[in-house]
Amino acid sequence: MRIDVLTVLPGLFDCFLKEGVIGKAISSGKVEVKVHNIRDFTTDKHRVVDDVPYGGGPGMVLKPEPIFRAYDELTKEGEKPYVLLTEPWGEKFNQEMAVELSKKPRLMIICGRYEGVDERVKSLVDREVSIGDYVLTGGELPAMVIMDAVLRLIPGVLGNLESLRADSFSDRGLLGYPNYTRPAEFRGMKVPEVLLSGHHKKIESWRKEQSLRKTLERRPEIIENLKRKGLLTKEELE
Ligand code: ADE
């Protein structure tokens, strides 16, 4: 998987690309992420990336030329990328979209900024994506959120396959079960007995029940959806 990011604030990605699971995936060559400064694709003396909106109004709009130039330059060779534009009014990002995107060989993420992006940029875009119903100052954090969720799904990026499977939202979208580590009792709070029992079947069924219970409590619509699609077993429905 290769991801190209187009942004006017490339420095924001520095830590994200160096640290932790994502940093390791990149340094070990499992995935390739290249962050490009849109300003580097300007041709004028002042390297201008934005301009006032036609028709007036507040704020600035990202100009089309540098973005098209970046796209042309970066797609001269190799596979054409699947292009995302981060926008607060885009399609809402979720685990299903992350799974779909993780199967693409190449992605490009254009980080929206300011009051918006010149509408003509959207002719390059396959999907406008929002990470939630709130407005951020730009699309850089959303790009990192999307990359984090997508890259951890690439085989070999997460060390432990189990941790993927047990994760919230990966078993049919059910929320994750509660986890404990040592000590067995901390400030009067005890680890549930079953987890200390060493009885794997019992532990598995306790975890499944906890997972269902938590989902029913916090996200009942997920359970309703699974029921409608017939994706819950008889036992689980009880
Ligand atoms: N840009 C600003 N806010 C955003 C959001 N919530 N999602 C994606 N891009 C954004």
Side-chain angles (χ1 to χ4, degrees), residues 86-88 112 129-139 142:
T86 54
E87 291 244 331
V129 183
S130 162
I131 61 160
D133 291 337
Y134 40 83
V135 181
L136 303 165
T137 55

Side-chain angles (χ1 to χ4, degrees), residues 18 24 29 45 57 65 68 80 83 113 117 127 133 170 207:
K18 276 199 205 110
K24 209 180 254 168
K45 191 166 130 214
E65 303 98 308
F68 274 79
K80 287 269 173 279
V83 182
R113 273 262 130 197
V117 178
R127 210 148 175 189
D133 291 337
S170 56
R207 283 178 167 166

